Amino acid sequence: MDNVIIGLEIHVQLNRLQSKMFCGCSTAYQNSEPNTHTCPVCLGLPGSLPVLNRKAVECGIKVGLALNCTIEEETLFYRKNYYYPDLPKGFQISQYDFPLATKGHIMILGDDGAERDIRINRAHMEEDPGRLVHAGTIDKAKYTMVDYNRCGMPLLEVVTEPDLCSPKEARTFLDKLKSILEYLDVFDGSLEGSMRVDANISLKGGDRAEVKNISGFKGVEKALSYEITRQKNLQRRNIKVVQETRHFDELRSITVSIRSKVGAHDYRYYPESDLVTLHIASWVPGIRATLPELPDTKRERFVKQYALADDHAKSLTSDIKLANFYEAVVAKAAPKLAAVWIADVLKGELNYRNLGIDEFRPEHMVDIVQMLEQKKITEDGAVEIIRSILDKKGGSPEEIVKSMGLGKAGDDAVQKAVREAVAESPAAVADYKAGSERALNFIVGLVMKKTRGKASPGEVHDLVKSEVEKC
Amino acid sequence: MLLELKASLRSASAEEYLCRLFEKIEKSSLNAFTTLAREKAIEQARQFDKNPGQGLMAGVPIAIKACISTIGIETNCSSRILRGYVPPYDAHVVERLKAEGAIIMGKTNMDEFAMGSSTETSAFGPTKNPWDQTCVPGGSSGGSAACVAGGEAPCALGSDTGGSVRCPASFCGIVGLKPTYGLVSRFGLVAYANSLEQIGPLTHTVEDTALLMEIIAGHDWRDTTSAEKGSYLAGLKGDVRGLKIGIPKEYFGEGVNTEVEKAVWDAVSVLENLGAKWQEVSLPHTRYALAAYYVIAMSEASSNLARFDGLRYGLRQLGEDEDWHTTFSEIRAKGFGPEVKKRILLGTYALSAGYYGRYYLKALKVRTLIKEDFQRAFKDVDLLASPTMPIPAFKIGERINDPLSLYMADVFTVPINLAGVPAVSVPCGFAGRLPIGLQLMGPHFGEATVLRAAHAFEAATPFHERTPEVV
């Protein structure tokens, strides 16, 4: 899309941590009763004081390094002051000057098919506010309830430069970011509200609108697409786009203007003196040493080490679990064949069922790839085995082969079936001789029927062709 | 005195002693308490009488300022907005006192949220000075000082943000210590200006203050700014021979009541006679201290008091709420008194974009200069001596409508909070019936020396022995 400028602020819950940012409350509040994962500190009761979860800062630094950022010598926390019912202290402990990490970049595949760097402006730590539950839609709710379970969850806010050019690119960027975060084992994207996005979007020459608090990647794409349409229509009618904050209404897939939290957005940032300045430069070497291999590096290695096509390598490394699954399989099976079956077939079957890779055991994939290599099963048979396992019909691949009769027919049986089928189809043979290549398909179908699908259609086609030509 | 009391309670009855105190409080016109924990306290005294424990404060009652959290006892900071707020947790200092067997009698009156030097801004009416009930007891810990001076409690805890322990100690003729910033955990102290304040004891004697410091000082993991304690009782009775005392010239002269000035110089002579030496020193940035103090304190207050919105605790109108902004604005308009509102407004202004650099940042720079003044002075001398307050207690109503003259009274106490150093006020004479306080200041964590000098002075003078005739 032309003339579209998008910048993102992504709030990532560091939800693989055990405890909240400034207190000992557990981070595992999902599926709990409202307001049960709280204490005087995260409720901001009078007299309570924050105590920094050092591990949260370590995770933040880890992410900063993975995003190719500069880690500051010293970092400190600020108070961001505003009144909102989800914020029990009337301020949020956040960062302002001297954030954890600045000036990074990550590479994505742009809409034009070329890879390019998206610049990261900064990454800083803050505490998550509570959650408001509106009775109805935000603009018409009669009342609102507050749940403070989420309050104090460690958040990392990643701010990009306005380098993205379309909703699709925004999505691509978010997928890449999520992949990196999961590689680092600091983030579980499967939990509700674990990644929330504020998107700044403008058309070239126009003012920008900020769409706040979009949950889910599909939501980001939808909200941005709606905003582009809205802003284009305003432009067409010669109405100025006003700089404002908007809310994405998921149910209606539209954005609506909301009253801003503070009139002029003056958050009165000032240093939080209940916490001390952290000299983090000395933490960096130790943390850098724990950095795992990241998606881009792993992808390059897969291409080199396993001689994979770049597409397959990219697909397999997009998700750390999938990459680990692949490497567990290739320890015992042919790398290229395994890549095809995992990236092209298994991934599709999983997506279709909305399942994760955890639902499939690497040993089973090893069996399937080995049986394919040894021509014990056909490709159709392999697909059947995968589906049977995912649909939880039970049994190992070998057992499924036996019980479903998926074993490949022996050469003799196939030859016999071919001879019979050709003899039974004089009309088709005549058509072929008259120049209709497609006439062979009828005979191939007949052979497949006779062998009950246990023959490979490609091989059968070749056999039928040579048999017909003998006639 | 507390040590003798503790010993006597073992042969007599803690319950009887406590009941006498409560009777006195009920008949009293001082208005020193906002909340009494009579039943709980008496039950605890009964337990002690049956089975006296071994704690440092076993069986000894203590009064706690209304801004220090006590589980199950209303902690309202003498504000309407916290009416009915009963903390679900104890402040660190309260935990420590309880662990040593102390009995919490109740909560003492104070200037609303500790904003004042006279206890007149309390939502529950002013506390009266036991020496002259037409006078203020000082503030903001006026209730704590008045109940000790008036014989309603043997000791109390206050908090000192800009003199709030030392000022009432001086006006009520007792001992009050503002410890080094970080020596006593602030966990559970309802914040007014969190970078300045410390909890401190108010007692009849220096030894009692040292005893309380043995209990309440020390590192607490829940307050990141807290540090390890020293030893206060052991070396208390040492002499002051050779001790070098600095007399800051900026703390004498214009604005200081002549009787006060004379009493303080007499006190210096007493210390000289005991073997100490004195010399004049200069703290050149003293004249900027008040302005810097009020900018910092009010700025922090505007943020610290933002949490009081009536949503989770405290004052709330029953019935239909308006929208969020209207509702919390109404609650704050009703809940806060005029002094608190004034400080929140001024602090909000000082932190606002465009003013931050001119006010808050500049005040922080002044703060650094003042800290350096003290560091320089303590290279040459061991202690500094000055009047605690430039005047004796003033009349109730005399200054409350003249904020500048009220704020001016803090001129010798606020620099200590800006510098974070410890200072004690000990009785050093009388102006008519009204007590005068001597302020002894030490370097960071110099409490042992400060208390030793104060003890030597006390032992050589009769002022602490006089008690007011409270009718």
Side-chain angles (χ1 to χ4, degrees), chain A residues 40-41 43-52 78-79 81-91 146 148 259-262 266 268-276, chain B residues 69 82 85 88-89 181 186-191 194-195 221-225 299-300 302-304 306-308 311-313 323-325 328 332 348 351-353 356 360:
Chain A
V41 175
L43 281 178
L45 288 189
S48 62
L49 295 169
V51 177
L52 181 67
Y78 278 73
R79 290 186 180 183
N81 294 283
Y82 65 92
Y83 291 101
Y84 215 59
D86 63 6
L87 200 64
K89 295 192 294 294
F91 60 83
V146 203
Y148 292 107
R259 191 173 141 182
S260 54
K261 284 169 186 166
V262 173
D266 184 352
R268 289 173 284 126
Y269 281 99
Y270 81 103
E272 167 59 285
S273 57
D274 286 336
L275 295 164
V276 294
Chain B
S69 302
L82 277 179
Y85 168 63
Y89 74 103
Y181 185 81
R186 289 176 292 116
F187 183 76
L189 170 65
V190 183
N194 51 310
S195 81
W221 67 270
R222 295 165 301 186
D223 177 357
T224 307
T225 65
S299 298
E300 292 183 4
S302 73
S303 176
N304 285 326
R307 71 189 67 196
F308 304 114
L311 185 61
R312 293 160 299 278
Y313 46 82
D323 70 274
W324 160 248
H325 284 82
F328 91 75
R332 289 168 70 84
T348 304
L351 285 179
S352 295
Y356 180 84
Y360 188 73

Side-chain angles (χ1 to χ4, degrees), chain A residues 11 21 92-94 124-128 153-155 157:
Chain A
H11 298 86
M21 184 90 184
Q92 179 188 30
I93 303 179
S94 180
H124 72 245
M125 313 261 343
E126 59 187 28
E127 54 178 343
D128 212 349
M153 279 294 286
L155 277 192
E157 182 173 331

Side-chain angles (χ1 to χ4, degrees), chain A residues 197-218:
Chain A
V197 179
D198 297 346
N200 283 292
I201 176 162
S202 62
L203 304 178
K204 207 165 259 173
D207 261 329
R208 67 190 159 87
E210 186 180 20
V211 188
K212 281 245 181 232
N213 229 344
I214 318 167
S215 207
F217 295 0
K218 271 185 203 149

Side-chain angles (χ1 to χ4, degrees), chain A residues 19-55:
Chain A
S19 52
K20 290 186 180 180
M21 184 90 184
F22 298 115
C23 64
C25 285
S26 153
T27 53
Y29 65 86
Q30 307 264 353
N31 309 320
S32 303
E33 288 291 305
N35 299 310
T36 52
H37 278 57
T38 59
C39 72
V41 175
C42 57
L43 281 178
L45 288 189
S48 62
L49 295 169
V51 177
L52 181 67
N53 179 350
R54 196 187 153 102
K55 282 229 162 88

